[in-house]
Amino acid sequence: MASNTIENYLKAIYSLQQKQEKVNITDVSKHLEVSAATVNNMMQKLKKMKWVKQEKYQPVTLTVEGEKRAAMIIRKHRIAEMYLTEKMGLGWENVHSIAEEMEHIDSSILFDRMDELLDYPKYDPHGSPIPNKDGKIVKMNFHLLSQAETGSLVQLVGVEDSSKELLEFLNQKMIRLGTEMKVLEIASFDKSLLLEMEEKDTLVLSSKVCNALRVIEVEK
Amino acid sequence: MASNTIENYLKAIYSLQQKQEKVNITDVSKHLEVSAATVNNMMQKLKKMKWVKQEKYQPVTLTVEGEKRAAMIIRKHRIAEMYLTEKMGLGWENVHSIAEEMEHIDSSILFDRMDELLDYPKYDPHGSPIPNKDGKIVKMNFHLLSQAETGSLVQLVGVEDSSKELLEFLNQKMIRLGTEMKVLEIASFDKSLLLEMEEKDTLVLSSKVCNALRVIEVEK
DNA sequence: TAAATTATTTAGATTGATCTAAATATAAGA
DNA sequence: TCTTATATTTAGATCAATCTAAATAATTTA
């Protein structure tokens, strides 16, 4: 029923709601790289469909129905990513863009089967939780590597964006989910981090990269 | 580059060219269920793109480039169908509509990998040949069951349409690719066929169904 | 708090894909 | 061959999704 475009708006609002209290037209506009006027226009349509709520000049929120639809799209996206990596052997850097297209396929047979073949995974290859069939999603517990303190030992549990560019960079540095790193030093000038890796060698990561890495503290 | 819509026009012309010498605007119009005016309009665009040729009021033909693009879309479609049945265990009645969406995914990594996992299949689950990477497609040798003569022993090698409706009907009658049938009688009134099946039981198939079944003659 | 900045909305235009109705050309039949 | 039927093209309209520019509202800052 909903066009791919509409599904992408729902998904955008959902994702933004996961990390912010308030989602503005401008946030959606930046996220989808369309003008604010376009977003405003689409919000009128989504309000008529009862998938979003918004008072004039106020932030947008998904309705229960809108949130459920968004969660189902994200569920399909993440199950597809998982299938592509686990069952087809594609690298985590390649699956996001494919899943971006597969998420719009209307076929419960397909996604239920992938889910079953994967034995009902809880997380996608980038560490993000997969919403269940009711749209429930576990809340992740993490902080960004850029927020870590000197001396802390952390483990990578997810990434903020699944772009090929970031993930190829991480591949090159031998960083994957589960990789442990100790923060040796934080450069005050550019907020880059000096890290000790598992093999005792050291590595410098820019603040841009550290802002994209989700970590948890681990015991020493 | 090409929208899904444009890809569907290329595919439609390609498919029609496989079974007719001349492809008219009206043929495409019926095939895609859009008005002839819409097709005409789209042909102007495809001509500018150099993917079709057409003189005013004349039939349309794909250019070499247009044909190659069409073949690549059909290749993706058929590889996907094969993967869905062979590797994921979906029934042949369910895969066409899914492949209809997957065929537009722009990812050689994905389709090359499916092709490899399938060990480079030559036919899809409905018996249609898969174009190779150069766009070459083997010419199938078959006739329709509706053309078979009384007494002939035939084997199902493909279907004219991959609709869920037809394929569920065939499932119910235990008819699949490879099934052999002997034509016992052709009713002159409605052109229905009385067939002897592999298990020696008999079955009547309407001319509508016989028109959709591709068979070859086999030795007795 | 007044001014400046930022965000949202409105207005009007564009593009892609579609339609119907009318005009024109081609093909088929008497 | 003339008439009729069918096919194609043209013209003009609509809808979804986008844009820019301008107007308006809300927020921030001096």
Side-chain angles (χ1 to χ4, degrees), chain A residues 24-26 37 40 54 56-57:
Chain A
N24 301 312
I25 295 278
T26 311
N40 188 264
Q54 184 212 23
K56 246 196 182 188
Y57 289 99

Side-chain angles (χ1 to χ4, degrees), chain B residues 24 28 41 44 54 60 63 67 70 78 98 106 121-122 135 157 176 178 182-183 194 212:
Chain B
N24 301 311
V28 179
N41 189 57
Q44 308 315 311
Q54 183 211 27
V60 297
T63 62
E67 187 167 316
R78 294 183 178 164
I98 299 172
D106 179 25
K122 293 268 178 295
V157 296
R176 64 193 78 76
K182 184 171 174 184
V183 181
L194 176 64

Side-chain angles (χ1 to χ4, degrees), chain A residues 9 25-26 28-29 32 34-44:
Chain A
Y9 277 91
I25 295 278
T26 311
V28 178
S29 156
L32 292 177
V34 296
S35 74
T38 300
V39 175
N40 188 264
N41 189 57
M42 183 60 87
M43 289 310 111
Q44 307 315 313

Side-chain angles (χ1 to χ4, degrees), chain A:
Chain A
M1 325 292 95
S3 67
N4 287 6
T5 305
I6 286 177
E7 293 198 342
N8 287 336
Y9 277 91
L10 292 177
K11 195 162 58 105
I13 300 167
Y14 185 95
S15 303
L16 290 165
Q17 269 184 1
Q18 298 281 116
K19 52 180 171 190
Q20 316 169 182
E21 351 60 81
K22 298 288 173 201
V23 177
N24 301 312
I25 295 278
T26 311
D27 298 328
V28 178
S29 156
K30 281 175 187 151
H31 193 272
L32 292 177
E33 298 181 282
V34 296
S35 74
T38 300
V39 175
N40 188 264
N41 189 57
M42 183 60 87
M43 289 310 111
Q44 307 315 313
K45 189 181 300 184
L46 294 183
K47 277 190 265 183
K48 277 194 203 116
M49 288 170 163
K50 299 266 168 59
W51 294 341
V52 307
K53 273 179 297 206
Q54 184 212 23
E55 312 277 316
K56 246 196 182 188
Y57 289 99
Q58 292 308 119
V60 297
T61 35
L62 291 172
T63 62
V64 171
E65 174 63 17
E67 187 167 315
K68 179 147 188 186
R69 283 183 179 263
M72 286 307 110
I73 300 159
I74 288 173
R75 176 175 162 79
K76 289 191 284 179
H77 181 106
R78 294 184 179 166
I79 286 176
E81 286 190 334
M82 202 59 180
Y83 188 89
L84 294 167
T85 54
E86 297 303 303
K87 299 296 173 184
M88 299 190 65
L90 302 189
W92 71 338
E93 74 280 12
N94 289 319
V95 298
H96 175 76
S97 62
I98 299 172
E100 206 68 5
E101 308 198 46
M102 291 187 70
E103 71 191 6
H104 302 295
I105 297 178
D106 180 25
S107 169
S108 43
I109 285 182
L110 173 62
F111 294 98
D112 286 352
R113 183 67 180 139
M114 289 198 284
D115 196 30
E116 182 184 358
L117 291 168
L118 288 163
D119 202 20
Y120 314 104
K122 293 269 179 293
Y123 295 89
D124 79 11
H126 311 109
S128 296
I130 299 176
N132 72 14
K133 286 190 167 189
D134 300 323
K136 296 267 180 240
I137 185 166
V138 306
K139 184 151 175 52
M140 272 193 88
N141 184 33
F142 66 83
H143 55 268
L144 297 180
L145 179 54
S146 51
Q147 256 58 62
E149 286 170 20
T150 308
S152 61
L153 181 63
V154 300
Q155 184 180 42
L156 187 71
V157 295
V159 291
E160 283 286 294
D161 93 276
S162 304
S163 69
K164 186 159 188 151
E165 294 67 37
L166 172 65
L167 300 174
E168 281 181 338
F169 175 85
L170 297 179
N171 284 347
Q172 199 195 324
K173 304 294 184 192
M174 309 282 277
I175 299 172
R176 63 193 78 78
L177 293 191
T179 295
E180 292 187 5
M181 301 168 273
K182 184 172 176 184
V183 182
L184 298 180
E185 209 178 301
I186 304 175
S188 59
F189 176 63
D190 65 357
K191 307 294 177 203
S192 66
L193 267 60
L194 176 65
L195 299 156
E196 181 181 289
M197 307 305 288
E198 284 163 354
E199 303 79 11
K200 303 298 169 201
D201 51 338
T202 64
L203 179 64
V204 174
L205 291 181
S206 71
S207 71
K208 179 170 180 183
V209 170
C210 294
N211 261 312
L213 302 187
R214 297 172 172 177
V215 298
I216 55 171
E217 204 98 8
V218 292
E219 311 303 314
K220 289 184 212 176

Side-chain angles (χ1 to χ4, degrees), chain B residues 4-216:
Chain B
N4 288 5
T5 306
I6 287 177
E7 292 197 344
N8 287 337
Y9 277 91
L10 293 176
K11 196 162 57 107
I13 300 167
Y14 185 95
S15 303
L16 289 164
Q17 269 184 1
Q18 297 282 116
K19 51 180 171 190
Q20 316 169 181
E21 353 57 84
K22 298 288 175 201
V23 177
N24 301 311
I25 295 277
T26 310
D27 299 327
V28 179
S29 156
K30 281 176 187 152
H31 194 272
L32 292 178
E33 298 181 279
V34 295
S35 73
T38 300
V39 175
N40 187 263
N41 189 57
M42 183 60 87
M43 290 311 111
Q44 308 315 311
K45 189 181 300 183
L46 294 183
K47 277 189 264 184
K48 277 195 202 113
M49 289 172 162
K50 300 263 168 59
W51 294 341
V52 308
K53 274 180 295 205
Q54 183 211 27
E55 312 278 315
K56 249 197 181 190
Y57 290 97
Q58 291 308 117
V60 297
T61 36
L62 291 172
T63 62
V64 171
E65 174 63 16
E67 187 167 316
K68 179 146 189 188
R69 284 182 177 264
M72 287 306 111
I73 300 159
I74 288 172
R75 175 174 162 80
K76 288 192 284 179
H77 181 107
R78 294 183 178 164
I79 286 176
E81 286 190 334
M82 203 59 180
Y83 188 89
L84 293 167
T85 54
E86 296 303 302
K87 299 297 174 183
M88 298 189 68
L90 301 189
W92 71 337
E93 74 280 14
N94 289 318
V95 299
H96 175 76
S97 61
I98 299 172
E100 206 70 4
E101 308 198 45
M102 291 188 70
E103 70 191 7
H104 302 295
I105 296 177
D106 179 25
S107 169
S108 43
I109 285 181
L110 172 64
F111 292 99
D112 286 352
R113 183 65 180 141
M114 289 197 287
D115 196 29
E116 181 185 359
L117 291 168
L118 288 163
D119 201 21
Y120 315 104
K122 293 268 178 295
Y123 294 90
D124 78 11
H126 311 110
S128 295
I130 298 174
N132 72 13
K133 286 189 168 190
D134 301 322
K136 297 266 180 241
I137 185 165
V138 306
K139 184 149 175 54
M140 273 192 86
N141 184 32
F142 66 84
H143 55 269
L144 298 180
L145 179 53
S146 51
Q147 257 59 65
E149 286 170 18
T150 307
S152 61
L153 180 64
V154 300
Q155 184 180 43
L156 186 70
V157 296
V159 292
E160 282 286 293
D161 91 277
S162 303
S163 69
K164 187 161 187 150
E165 294 67 37
L166 172 64
L167 300 174
E168 281 181 338
F169 175 85
L170 297 179
N171 284 347
Q172 199 195 325
K173 304 292 184 194
M174 310 283 278
I175 299 173
R176 64 193 78 76
L177 294 191
T179 296
E180 292 188 4
M181 299 167 276
K182 184 171 174 184
V183 181
L184 297 180
E185 209 178 300
I186 304 176
S188 58
F189 175 62
D190 65 357
K191 306 296 177 206
S192 64
L193 266 62
L194 176 64
L195 299 157
E196 181 182 288
M197 308 305 289
E198 285 164 354
E199 303 77 9
K200 302 298 172 204
D201 51 338
T202 63
L203 178 65
V204 174
L205 290 181
S206 70
S207 71
K208 180 170 179 185
V209 170
C210 295
N211 261 312
L213 302 187
R214 297 173 173 177
V215 298
I216 54 170

